Amino acid sequence: MRILTINIFLNSTKIVTNRSSEWDRRWKWIWLIAFIGGLLFQARHVDEIRKAYLSLEVIHRPIAALLVCFAILPYISKQPFILFRGIIGLLTIFGLWRLMSTFWSIEPLWTFYRSLEFLIMVALTAITTWSLRSITDLQKWMNWFWLWHGFLLVSIWIGVVVFPEKALLPSRGVIPYLLAGVIPVINPNNVATIGAILSVVSFTRWLTTGKRKWLLLMMPAFTTMILAQGRSAMAGALLGILLILILSRRYNLITFLSLLISILVIVPTFRETVKSYFMRGQTEELFWSFTGREFWWQYALNYIKENPWIGYGAFAFSRFKAAEDLNIPTFSGLHNSWVDVAVEIGIPGAILLAVIFVAIWFSCIKVSLTGNLEERRLAIELSGVLAILTIRSFFTSALIFHNSWPFFLIIGGISWLTISYKGKSKLTLP
């Protein structure tokens, strides 16, 4: 009887192991292909794109998209409705609306290609989400993403050593250089975002596990963020850390940090240094115009008023119309995801994106407050990163691109936590 019981236990364990290893066997490598496909190795001019949508510099992107597409097609053909489940379903509708804008786009082929690229990532997110068998798989998914962000961080510093003239861009601020990525190409704002995300993730894991190694890993990420001087990324990181402290109920630490900051702000030298750092040598007028972004938003607003309901085609307006009108050949976005969406697929598209964001925030906060120990840890971590992306969405268009990996991870991770995982034990974080 005892032998029979042991055999049954071993067989059931084997089944669970096989199911939960699907991430290790398949999806992590498909996401790696998608990750590589989202890297940028050379910024292209609008004239170059008009001559040839595809070139050697970007050939890895369609190849990666095709490989991912072939990998997920069998799953979509068997269960197409998983694309419309939960919050991911809203994102699928958003992606389909972008694809439909091909019919009225000012650059139909470009809209079709980029929208299809985005939809493939949405489908990969959906299939990965609903194939996870345990919360351990979700943790592996998150670790895999942060690992590759860590590799990007390393590549940035390799660029500083090998190509200092390209990696250290001149600045008139307190720090005379802006940190940028060379291979792959990463602008200073995105470098700061990578540093901010890894800082928040490390801080969350230190707070929820008590392991000091996470503080050590936070130091290079935080340093990178500071040297890149991305102000919206830093604001997002501060908001993320504050949110993490609140959701973790670390009120004593919040009080201590508040008192420390209040004391430092009183010191004139510290206050002036911080102000000079954030001004980056800019005039008051330029600073409060968000480094010229206000002009771009006003420019786009005129076109939104002319065509508020369907826009001018996903991915097309900024890349072609705005690039030519503003005489910025490499212009790819209006540095505001909401303005970009409104001008590309109309105000209804921007409203749909807002609904998606509200749904994600609601789910993140709910699980962070009511989930069990493991659910809360992961949801708090996702909430901290979401805070960064939310602030950044008002100053970058990258949130709505196919290579917004943290966004896809958050929407997939929180969807799984709210629907698939049914943990019951309610524990408090240490």
Side-chain angles (χ1 to χ4, degrees), residues 5 19 104 108 254 313 328 391:
T5 303
R19 286 180 174 178
W104 58 83
I254 293 174
I328 307 176
I391 296 296

Side-chain angles (χ1 to χ4, degrees), residues 2-31:
R2 181 178 296 177
I3 295 175
L4 178 61
T5 303
I6 292 174
N7 286 335
I8 292 174
F9 172 77
L10 290 176
N11 288 335
S12 62
T13 303
K14 183 178 180 181
I15 292 172
V16 172
T17 302
N18 287 340
R19 286 180 174 178
S20 61
S21 65
E22 188 175 359
W23 163 260
D24 296 305
R25 289 185 288 107
R26 180 177 291 108
W27 300 117
K28 67 184 295 183
W29 305 115
I30 296 174
W31 273 105

Side-chain angles (χ1 to χ4, degrees), residues 185-387:
V185 177
I186 309 174
N187 67 54
N189 281 320
N190 287 337
V191 168
T193 302
I194 293 171
I197 289 174
L198 292 178
S199 295
V200 165
V201 169
S202 299
F203 180 80
T204 307
R205 296 195 177 186
W206 167 71
L207 202 66
T208 57
T209 66
K211 296 180 179 180
R212 294 182 180 178
K213 69 176 183 179
W214 294 111
L215 283 180
L216 296 176
L217 291 172
M218 180 180 176
M219 292 175 62
F222 187 80
T223 301
T224 301
M225 178 183 68
I226 295 298
L227 293 178
Q229 302 185 63
R231 293 170 292 201
S232 59
M234 283 186 276
L238 291 175
L239 176 61
I241 288 173
L242 176 61
L243 180 63
I244 289 164
L245 290 171
I246 294 173
L247 294 176
S248 303
R249 303 182 180 121
R250 300 302 179 94
Y251 303 119
N252 290 337
L253 189 53
I254 293 174
T255 303
F256 170 76
L257 291 175
S258 300
L259 289 173
L260 179 62
I261 294 173
S262 299
I263 293 172
L264 290 174
V265 168
I266 295 174
V267 180
T269 304
F270 176 82
R271 187 171 61 249
E272 290 302 317
T273 301
V274 171
K275 180 181 178 181
S276 298
Y277 171 82
F278 276 94
M279 291 297 295
R280 272 185 357 207
Q282 296 176 343
T283 63
E284 291 279 348
E285 182 181 3
L286 183 61
F287 177 81
W288 289 112
S289 69
F290 305 106
T291 318
R293 290 180 176 90
E294 187 179 12
F295 171 77
W296 299 337
W297 301 339
Q298 288 291 341
Y299 159 80
L301 184 60
N302 294 327
Y303 285 93
I304 293 173
K305 291 178 180 178
E306 289 182 9
N307 194 357
W309 302 114
I310 60 174
Y312 297 86
F315 303 100
F317 182 86
S318 299
R319 201 67 180 95
F320 297 96
K321 177 65 176 172
E324 292 172 345
D325 288 352
L326 301 175
N327 196 26
I328 307 176
T330 58
F331 200 69
S332 60
L334 293 162
H335 290 256
N336 186 308
S337 297
W338 308 95
V339 175
D340 261 306
V341 170
V343 75
E344 289 179 354
I345 58 174
I347 294 175
I351 293 174
L352 177 56
L353 183 62
V355 170
I356 293 171
F357 253 80
V358 171
I360 296 173
W361 268 114
F362 177 81
S363 299
C364 282
I365 300 300
K366 180 180 178 181
V367 178
S368 296
L369 295 176
T370 63
N372 63 37
L373 176 61
E374 291 304 316
E375 288 177 313
R376 290 189 61 212
R377 280 179 174 172
L378 299 187
I380 289 172
E381 185 173 308
L382 294 175
S383 299
V385 177
L386 181 60

Side-chain angles (χ1 to χ4, degrees), residues 121-238:
M121 293 305 302
V122 175
L124 177 59
T125 302
I127 295 169
T128 303
T129 300
W130 309 128
S131 69
L132 299 179
R133 298 298 180 182
S134 69
I135 202 166
T136 303
D137 283 345
L138 176 55
Q139 180 72 73
K140 289 179 179 179
W141 189 7
M142 295 169 67
N143 290 344
W144 189 242
F145 268 44
W146 307 147
L147 174 64
W148 285 102
H149 276 69
F151 284 153
L152 287 179
L153 197 74
V154 172
S155 76
I156 291 165
W157 285 102
I158 290 176
V160 172
V161 175
V162 180
F163 308 103
E165 70 284 355
K166 295 181 179 179
L168 300 174
L169 306 180
S171 171
R172 293 179 295 176
V174 174
I175 301 175
Y177 298 101
L178 300 172
L179 192 59
V182 181
I183 302 175
V185 177
I186 309 174
N187 67 54
N189 281 320
N190 287 337
V191 168
T193 302
I194 293 171
I197 289 174
L198 292 178
S199 295
V200 165
V201 169
S202 299
F203 180 80
T204 307
R205 296 195 177 186
W206 167 71
L207 202 66
T208 57
T209 66
K211 296 180 179 180
R212 294 182 180 178
K213 69 176 183 179
W214 294 111
L215 283 180
L216 296 176
L217 291 172
M218 180 180 176
M219 292 175 62
F222 187 80
T223 301
T224 301
M225 178 183 68
I226 295 298
L227 293 178
Q229 302 185 63
R231 293 170 292 201
S232 59
M234 283 186 276
L238 291 175

Side-chain angles (χ1 to χ4, degrees), residues 58-115:
V58 295
I59 196 63
H60 64 290
R61 288 180 53 174
I63 291 176
L66 282 173
L67 290 174
V68 173
C69 186
F70 287 141
I72 64 178
L73 267 178
Y75 297 87
I76 296 177
S77 61
K78 291 179 182 178
Q79 299 182 24
F81 292 106
I82 64 171
L83 299 178
F84 297 93
R85 189 179 182 189
I87 304 174
I88 298 177
L90 295 175
L91 192 62
T92 301
I93 295 172
F94 177 76
L96 289 172
W97 181 245
R98 299 179 97 175
L99 185 64
M100 284 180 59
S101 69
T102 299
F103 293 106
W104 58 83
S105 173
I106 57 176
E107 286 287 336
L109 289 179
W110 183 256
T111 294
F112 178 78
Y113 163 62
R114 293 299 305 276
S115 299

